[in-house]
Amino acid sequence: MRAMVFDRYGEPDVMSLSEEPVPEPQDGEVLIRVGFAGVNPSDSKARSGESARAGYRVRDFEFPFVTGMDAAGVVERTGSNANGFRQGDRKITFLIEFEELGTR
C-alpha cells in the first residue's frame, strides 16, 4: 500500500510517500481500501513530535510511522469479531492507530 511516512520528528519535509506492506486485520478490526485521506492537526502534531512532548502516546509508535487519521473508503477484509462490517461496505473513519491507514 502507498502511505505517507516519517522516520523522525521534524518539519513537513521529513515525510515521504512509501510502499508499505498491507496489514492483516486482527480480531475486531477491518481493513479499509482508502479512496480519500485527510491530514488534520493531530497528524501535524505527531510529525513534529509535539504530541510526544505533550505526553500523548500512540500505541506501538515506531519509526517509520504511517500517518493519516481521516479516511473514506471501502471495507476490503474483516478480522474475526468485526461485527457489523462486511466486505464492500463504504465507510468514513477517524483512526487512532495511524499505522493501519494507507492508500492503495
Side-chain angles (χ1 to χ4, degrees):
M1 70 179 187
R2 288 180 297 169
M4 289 302 293
V5 301
F6 58 93
D7 59 6
R8 66 191 180 283
Y9 296 124
E11 297 300 319
D13 63 350
V14 301
M15 298 179 71
S16 63
L17 188 60
S18 175
E19 285 294 325
E20 299 293 324
V22 176
E24 276 299 317
Q26 302 301 306
D27 189 39
E29 296 179 342
V30 298
L31 176 67
I32 297 175
R33 179 184 296 264
V34 175
F36 300 92
V39 175
N40 67 38
S42 295
D43 296 306
S44 297
K45 288 178 182 179
R47 185 243 331 127
S48 70
E50 186 177 339
S51 293
R53 288 191 303 273
Y56 296 106
R57 184 173 175 273
V58 177
R59 183 179 72 90
D60 297 332
F61 187 103
E62 295 178 357
F63 293 123
F65 187 70
V66 177
T67 190
M69 293 187 71
D70 300 327
V74 177
V75 173
E76 188 165 298
R77 290 194 305 272
T78 62
S80 302
N81 301 312
N83 300 325
F85 296 95
R86 292 187 318 252
Q87 185 177 15
D89 286 349
R90 296 178 355 173
K91 298 294 177 186
I92 58 173
T93 185
F94 168 79
L95 299 171
I96 301 297
E97 298 170 355
F98 304 161
E99 70 273 11
E100 296 178 6
L101 177 66
T103 59
R104 274 177 74 176

